[in-house]
Amino acid sequence: MENDAQARKYKQLTEAPVEPLICKMAVPTIISMLITSIYNMADTFFVGWLGTSATGAVGVVFPLMAAIQAVGFFFGQGSGNYISRQLGAQHREEAARMAATGFFSALGAGAVILAFGLVFRNPLCHLLGATDTIFPYALDYMCLILIGAPWMTAALVLNNQLRLQGNATYAMVGLVSGGLLNIALDPLFIFVFQMGISGAALATILSQFISFCLLLLGVRISGGIQIRLRLFSPSRARYAALAGGGLPSLCRQGLASIAVTCLNTAARPYGDAAIAAMSIVTRVSQFAGSAMIGFGQGFQPVCGFNFGARKYDRVSRGFWFCVKVSTVALLLLAVVGWIFAPQVIAIFRADDPEVIRIGAATMRWQCISFPLIAWSTMCNMLLQNIAMTVRASIVAAARQGLFFIPLALILPIFFGLTGVQICQAASDVCSFFLAIALTVPVLRLLSRGVDPHTA
């Protein structure tokens, strides 16, 4: 039964017309990304009713959540990409061993984060950029988030493994159910049970645990590769292969954590309103780009299977299709975001005109470069899925690492608060040109039917 389901999935991903196939694969991943972004924003929205300092606390703890997600994506994307290529090459036993290795490794890494985070919680909170007024809110929120680290990392592994096997619907059910539950629990815990910001954190980790359980169930009933403890096979070669697919995600998500910390630190001299504004814009920008990322994730299993099957023309066609659709979508969102920036920020802090002023200006700067993100993101997904690890890692690190972190440290020195507000847009432009230089040579080889690894 399991082998029959895998054989049908292989035939679908390597023979069906590419453009409709990507759209079909993308529907559940787009829904997953949108719901995930909504429940990420739910904390910011409901906590916003507690005051500007509480809103800033969510932004301060966000880098920690990004770091936890980075670990989950490292093991999830690393194992998932490897699994899709192995299934494309019809190596099912090796795919099953990598599935178990990625899952149990992530569970252990999450436990390590939990232990170290709780031990060093006070200095960590200050390091993340908390002011004296934000600190008590951030500490309460952070400690509960840390408790959920093991199943948060493991859930991301299950999600990515399901999705990269072409079983995105099961991944969607797990994420969407947890996301909707979080949205429901936030006001219940924060206001009805009067738990304040701790209620928001408790809602988050409980909903993440439900997602984890549903994703485990999805793995069991999907007919794909099963997670079995007896197949846990850690080895230097297997971790090297996992790192090859996961390192770009670790760079992207890990540097996003550092980048937000730098942003909070840069905004700290301008008060809680500036930190709160940056927190809101970060969440809104993530939501605006989530559908594009979900669409690109629909391309990933198509890319992995066809690259493993040496059908390079299908890989190239799928990439260009995703770039065109995503660029148009982000251009439209950028126009809407520019026009309605003050109204969007006011949704979260309508009673604080300073947050609205700073947030609206920041959001409009980001709208200028927003369409360029489509190219950089799709380049990263392509390079990562075909195991061009060095190039993929550089592209992944560029937007919120190689360029953003130096700009966040330098621009405020010369331009004050405006420097804080423009650093993401400036980073996006630089990342766009870097991605062109690193990806175009690979695309030329794929279009000629040549494996980039052997050229």
Side-chain angles (χ1 to χ4, degrees):
M1 181 68 178
E2 182 179 325
N3 288 340
D4 290 343
Q6 292 171 9
R8 288 193 299 271
K9 188 63 66 177
Y10 174 84
K11 182 177 176 65
Q12 177 192 28
L13 288 168
T14 58
E15 295 182 13
V18 171
E19 292 83 359
L21 177 62
I22 290 175
C23 292
K24 180 180 179 180
M25 292 287 166
V27 169
T29 56
I30 289 172
I31 294 172
S32 296
M33 290 302 301
L34 286 173
I35 294 296
T36 300
S37 295
I38 288 171
Y39 88 71
N40 281 338
M41 288 199 302
D43 280 359
T44 304
F45 176 75
F46 289 113
V47 169
W49 294 0
L50 300 175
T52 298
S53 295
T55 304
V58 175
V60 165
V61 179
F62 179 77
L64 174 64
M65 295 184 69
I68 294 171
Q69 290 172 351
V71 173
F73 275 113
F74 172 73
F75 289 106
Q77 288 274 7
S79 61
N81 286 326
Y82 184 81
I83 288 167
S84 69
R85 293 194 301 273
Q86 293 302 311
L87 291 176
Q90 301 287 294
H91 300 154
R92 293 176 182 173
E93 175 68 20
E94 177 59 22
R97 291 189 177 278
M98 178 59 86
T101 301
F103 173 79
F104 290 109
S105 297
L107 202 61
V112 172
I113 293 172
L114 164 61
F116 277 89
L118 290 179
V119 170
F120 299 105
R121 57 189 181 276
N122 284 355
L124 178 60
C125 202
H126 285 296
L127 181 64
L128 293 173
T131 63
D132 290 340
T133 49
I134 287 175
F135 178 83
Y137 294 100
L139 187 64
D140 290 345
Y141 189 77
M142 183 180 71
C143 288
L144 281 170
I145 293 297
L146 282 167
I147 292 173
W151 60 78
M152 289 167 70
T153 55
L156 284 170
V157 173
L158 296 174
N159 173 57
N160 280 283
Q161 289 184 359
L162 280 167
R163 184 173 54 78
L164 286 159
Q165 291 176 64
N167 296 319
T169 299
Y170 295 96
M172 176 194 73
V173 170
L175 287 182
V176 168
S177 300
L180 293 175
L181 180 62
N182 190 41
I183 294 170
L185 291 179
D186 261 340
L188 180 66
F189 288 169
I190 294 172
F191 304 114
V192 177
F193 295 161
Q194 297 184 340
M195 295 178 66
I197 196 167
S198 296
L202 182 59
T204 297
I205 63 171
L206 284 178
S207 63
Q208 292 276 5
F209 182 72
I210 297 300
S211 287
F212 170 71
C213 294
L214 291 174
L215 287 165
L216 272 177
L217 180 62
V219 169
R220 180 171 293 276
I221 66 177
S222 67
I225 298 296
Q226 302 296 300
I227 305 294
R228 297 185 174 95
L229 182 58
R230 63 180 175 81
L231 293 177
F232 177 56
S233 309
S235 67
R236 180 177 298 180
R238 199 160 279 116
Y239 279 127
L242 190 151
L247 190 59
S249 290
L250 183 64
C251 290
R252 180 176 61 250
Q253 292 293 126
L255 286 171
S257 172
I258 298 172
V260 176
T261 301
C262 290
L263 190 66
N264 289 335
T265 302
R268 184 159 50 186
Y270 305 99
D272 289 5
I275 296 177
M278 298 304 157
S279 173
I280 293 169
V281 173
T282 298
R283 296 299 178 100
V284 171
S285 298
Q286 283 189 335
F287 175 73
S290 61
M292 180 270 298
I293 294 173
F295 186 70
Q297 289 178 342
F299 164 65
Q300 286 188 302
V302 178
C303 177
F305 269 75
N306 284 283
F307 188 80
R310 300 184 181 277
K311 296 187 177 184
Y312 304 132
D313 59 319
R314 290 171 60 83
V315 174
S316 182
R317 278 175 53 199
F319 170 80
W320 285 113
F321 173 68
C322 289
V323 168
K324 293 172 185 176
V325 172
S326 299
T327 301
V328 172
L330 292 190
L331 180 60
L332 293 174
L333 286 172
V335 172
V336 173
W338 176 279
I339 295 172
F340 297 104
Q343 290 84 351
V344 171
I345 304 301
I347 293 173
F348 300 90
R349 291 298 297 139
D351 61 344
D352 195 327
E354 186 67 2
V355 172
I356 295 173
R357 182 186 69 82
I358 296 172
T362 305
M363 187 171 170
R364 282 174 169 159
W365 277 109
Q366 291 196 16
C367 286
I368 294 173
S369 64
F370 204 52
L372 302 181
I373 301 173
W375 170 260
S376 301
T377 301
M378 295 306 165
C379 287
N380 177 234
M381 289 184 174
L382 170 71
L383 295 170
Q384 184 172 3
N385 271 81
I386 65 175
M388 302 290 291
T389 306
V390 175
R391 290 174 185 257
S393 298
I394 294 172
V395 173
R399 182 173 182 256
Q400 292 189 303
L402 298 180
F403 296 119
F404 183 91
I405 293 174
L407 288 170
L409 296 174
I410 295 171
L411 290 179
I413 296 175
F414 297 98
F415 303 106
L417 179 59
T418 302
V420 180
Q421 295 170 315
I422 68 176
C423 60
Q424 185 65 75
S427 177
D428 289 342
V429 173
C430 296
S431 301
F432 172 77
F433 288 107
L434 178 63
I436 290 175
L438 291 174
T439 310
V440 169
V442 176
L443 289 168
R444 288 173 179 163
L445 292 171
L446 289 173
S447 66
R448 298 204 308 264
V450 177
D451 185 344
H453 295 280
T454 61

